[in-house]
């Protein structure tokens, strides 16, 4: 029955595979046959009636790493990216929201989505958590254009500014129910922030997420003026974190973007609820939001990952985020390039392992990544090099000089080529 060998495309070349914040497997000429950890563990083939597997290797001259996962990006804002020095609330009102309003038009949305999908693949990002505008159409346009995401949700805005993006809670819930049928467990329940959703809406959204076992995502304590406005809008709440916590929005399947202006009690609450922090350093720098206190995240061992937050973040390429996160934290929380690559390649499977609270040892093993990137080989790196920090730092240094041209080829989990420079 299995006389014919099964041909499988694999990659062959030098590989740096970050498997924890401070460990990577580095191989000079590995055959990589899976996006799982460990990607070099070859299965037995051709015995007991299993088909004989023949490898069909693609020779790779550069450096292979897992593809990027961007855990916080607004695909509908990519056309307005690059504004600098405008604080959050003004930027939202003047740049982000007027742009999002255009996604009410289905034709506009599908053209924009095609542009975004191309840029995203060229940037090496194949997964992560995506925000649409409040219009369901923006999710469908992204899906149909081949935008890559693990989770995606429309920005939920049932109260606050601006009136032209606001919808009623009833309309929002009806639309979410329809989207859940189409997107299933990839639908992320996405209350925009504490100025866009009132207490009743938060509780309804939490119940909806609970009923369908969905991930939640939101923005938390990004900017000082925002925090002051939240305190005025929610006079009963003890803090910004308390607004979300009282509504039950802090779950092990909640992604919290920014987390810049929090005190020790807030951090302990996040730790106790098991939620995941999405650090967006390029966005925080561009809007002058402040530095997230990574030392607090580390001290409590809160799980964290990285996001571009495009369009507040200037670039949809995670190399920009990697470069920034290794640069901005002082001696209280230094981040190696290896750790930055690890945090930029954590897959949904890995987050699910965190969320289901498996043991620290098993939760990272046997989990798949989003795909593979080939980076141009830096001049200073030869095939005998086995130091992941030196290799990855050389890639980032090349990116500083040459930009995204350092990303030569990108493959998905099934070794389908999705981008070639
Ligand atoms: N807070 C609420 N909405 C947004 C948004 O779209 N971008 C950023 N950076 N922060 C927000
Ligand atoms: Fe954001």
């Amino acid at each position: 029955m299995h006389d014919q060998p099964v041909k499988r495309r694999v990659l062959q070349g030098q590989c740096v595979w970050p498997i924890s914040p401070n460990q990577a497997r580095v191989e000079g000429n590995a055959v990589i046959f899976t996006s799982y950890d460990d990607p070099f563990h070859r299965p037995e083939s051709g015995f007991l009636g299993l088909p004989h597997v023949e490898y069909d290797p693609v020779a790779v001259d550069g450096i292979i790493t897992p593809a990027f996962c961007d855990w916080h990006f607004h695909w509908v804002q990519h056309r307005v990216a690059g504004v600098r020095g405008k604080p959050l609330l003004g930027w939202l009102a003047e740049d982000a929201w007027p742009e999002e309003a255009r996604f009410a038009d289905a034709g506009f949305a599908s053209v924009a989505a095609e542009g975004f999908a191309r840029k995203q693949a060229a940037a090496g990002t194949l997964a992560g958590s995506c925000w649409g505008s409040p219009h369901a159409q923006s999710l469908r346009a992204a899906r149909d254009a081949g935008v890559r995401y693990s989770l995606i949700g429309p920005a939920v805005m049932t109260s606050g500014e601006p009136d032209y993006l606001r919808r009623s809670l009833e309309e929002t819930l009806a639309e979410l129910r329809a989207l859940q049928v189409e997107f299933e467990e990839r639908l992320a329940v996405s209350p925009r922030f504490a100025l866009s959703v009132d207490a009743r809406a938060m509780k309804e959204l939490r119940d909806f997420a609970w009923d369908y076992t969905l991930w939640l995502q939101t923005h938390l304590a990004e900017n000082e003026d925002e925090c002051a406005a939240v305190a005025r809008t929610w006079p009963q709440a003890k803090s910004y974190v308390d607004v979300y916590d009282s509504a039950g929005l802090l779950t092990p399947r909640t992604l919290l973007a920014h987390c810049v202006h929090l005190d020790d009690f807030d951090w302990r609450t996040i730790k106790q609820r098991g939620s995941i922090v999405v650090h967006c350093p390029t966005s925080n720098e561009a809007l002058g939001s402040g530095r997230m206190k990574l030392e607090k995240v580390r001290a409590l061992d809160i799980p964290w990952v990285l996001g571009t937050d495009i369009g507040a973040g200037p670039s949809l390429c995670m190399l920009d985020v990697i470069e920034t996160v290794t640069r901005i934290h002082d001696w209280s929380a230094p981040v190696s390039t290896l750790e930055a690559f690890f945090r930029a390649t954590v897959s949904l499977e890995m987050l699910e392992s965190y969320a289901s609270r498996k043991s620290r040892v098993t939760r990272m093993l046997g989990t798949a990544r989003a795909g593979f990137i080939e980076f141009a080989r830096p001049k200073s790196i030869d095939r005998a090099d086995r130091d992941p920090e030196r290799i990855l730092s050389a890639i980032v240094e090349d990116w500083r000089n040459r930009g995204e041209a350092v990303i030569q080829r990108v493959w998905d989990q099934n070794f389908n080529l999705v981008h070639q420079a």
Side-chain angles (χ1 to χ4, degrees):
M1 202 183 157
H2 293 306
D3 293 336
Q4 289 299 315
V6 175
K7 279 252 180 202
R8 270 187 77 160
R9 191 188 299 173
V10 295
L11 304 179
Q12 185 161 17
Q14 187 173 6
C15 169
V16 180
W17 205 260
I19 55 175
S20 84
N22 49 25
Q23 291 167 289
R25 283 221 34 193
V26 186
E27 298 277 343
N29 192 28
V31 172
I32 298 172
F33 85 98
T34 174
S35 67
Y36 279 75
D37 295 330
D38 162 353
F40 322 107
H41 176 83
R42 300 164 73 158
E44 293 300 326
S45 58
F47 76 113
L48 287 181
L50 289 172
H52 180 68
V53 177
E54 266 181 18
Y55 296 110
D56 179 14
V58 176
V60 176
D61 292 329
I63 312 287
I64 305 164
T65 74
F68 292 132
C69 303
D70 180 350
W71 285 106
H72 186 95
F73 65 98
H74 302 258
W75 90 261
V76 291
Q77 294 175 4
H78 76 285
R79 291 164 11 105
V80 296
V83 176
R84 286 194 176 268
K86 217 191 247 192
L88 175 69
L89 296 179
W91 177 79
L92 284 172
E94 290 162 27
D95 299 83
W97 289 338
E99 174 70 4
E100 290 193 18
R102 306 184 69 176
F103 289 80
D105 175 347
F108 174 84
S110 58
V111 172
E114 273 163 30
F116 183 84
R118 251 193 325 276
K119 287 207 268 180
Q120 189 191 30
T125 298
L126 296 185
S129 197
C130 182
W131 287 74
S133 65
H135 318 93
Q137 175 56 40
S138 67
L139 271 66
R140 299 188 177 111
R143 177 195 59 202
D144 296 346
V147 171
R148 311 269 172 171
Y149 51 81
S150 320
L151 303 170
I152 187 168
V156 172
M157 305 175 76
T158 56
S159 54
E161 296 296 317
D163 57 355
Y164 58 82
L165 287 179
R166 216 163 45 220
R167 358 255 325 260
S168 73
L169 178 59
E170 287 61 38
E171 192 187 349
T172 300
L173 288 170
E175 205 148 77
L176 285 175
R177 275 190 286 272
L179 287 169
Q180 194 277 332
V181 173
E182 289 174 57
F183 290 83
E184 300 180 328
E185 77 283 357
R186 296 169 123 213
L187 179 68
V189 178
S190 311
R192 183 160 210 140
F193 65 158
L195 299 178
S196 295
V197 189
D198 65 21
R200 185 170 76 93
M202 281 188 196
K203 294 207 168 88
E204 291 282 340
L205 291 167
R206 190 221 101 99
D207 288 349
F208 179 79
W210 175 262
D211 286 346
Y212 294 92
T213 328
L214 300 176
W215 282 76
L216 285 148
Q217 62 178 346
T218 190
H219 295 88
L220 172 61
E222 175 175 0
N223 163 287
E224 276 179 341
D225 292 342
E226 172 211 4
C227 292
V230 169
R232 284 195 301 275
T233 310
W234 297 82
Q236 263 75 280
K238 291 195 274 294
S239 71
Y240 199 154
V241 166
D242 185 49
V243 171
Y244 291 157
D245 195 33
S246 301
L249 287 177
L250 302 183
T251 79
R253 279 203 181 80
T254 301
L255 298 168
L256 298 171
H258 299 289
C259 302
V260 175
H261 302 281
L262 301 178
D263 66 20
D264 285 356
F265 190 85
D266 296 330
W267 283 119
R268 271 204 299 281
T269 305
I270 291 170
K271 170 68 180 179
Q272 285 168 338
R273 302 297 176 257
S275 303
I276 292 164
V277 169
V278 186
H279 185 17
C280 303
T282 53
S283 164
N284 295 341
E285 201 171 55
L287 298 190
S289 303
R291 184 185 73 89
M292 188 188 81
K293 294 193 187 67
L294 185 58
E295 55 277 20
K296 302 289 183 189
V297 178
R298 289 241 173 99
L300 293 176
D301 194 19
I302 294 168
W304 66 281
V305 288
L306 288 167
T308 61
D309 193 25
I310 193 165
S315 163
L316 55 63
C317 186
M318 294 299 284
L319 285 168
D320 190 28
V321 179
I322 288 169
E323 190 274 339
T324 304
V325 78
T326 58
R327 175 166 50 73
I328 59 167
H329 293 289
D330 52 25
W331 291 108
S332 50
V335 179
S336 68
T337 307
L338 170 57
E339 173 165 22
F341 263 83
F342 175 73
R343 305 284 177 192
T345 56
V346 170
S347 64
L348 181 62
E349 258 198 33
M350 293 158 87
L351 289 185
E352 285 283 2
S353 299
Y354 274 127
S356 60
R357 296 169 187 262
K358 291 183 187 154
S359 84
R360 285 170 134 272
V361 177
T362 61
R363 72 186 179 189
M364 279 306 155
L365 299 178
T367 50
R369 305 303 178 94
F372 310 88
I373 299 176
E374 176 191 4
F375 289 101
R377 171 177 300 282
K379 281 203 179 60
S380 59
I381 303 296
D382 65 41
R383 280 187 186 266
D385 215 309
R386 290 291 184 278
D387 180 341
E389 188 65 17
R390 188 165 60 225
I391 299 170
L392 297 175
S393 301
I395 290 171
V396 173
E397 186 54 38
D398 273 4
W399 169 83
R400 278 199 197 95
N401 300 320
R402 297 174 49 205
E404 279 172 40
V406 299
I407 296 176
Q408 302 241 288
R409 285 184 284 183
V410 182
W411 296 266
D412 68 14
Q413 283 180 333
N414 301 316
F415 298 96
N416 299 311
L417 188 65
V418 298
H419 171 75
Q420 181 146 29

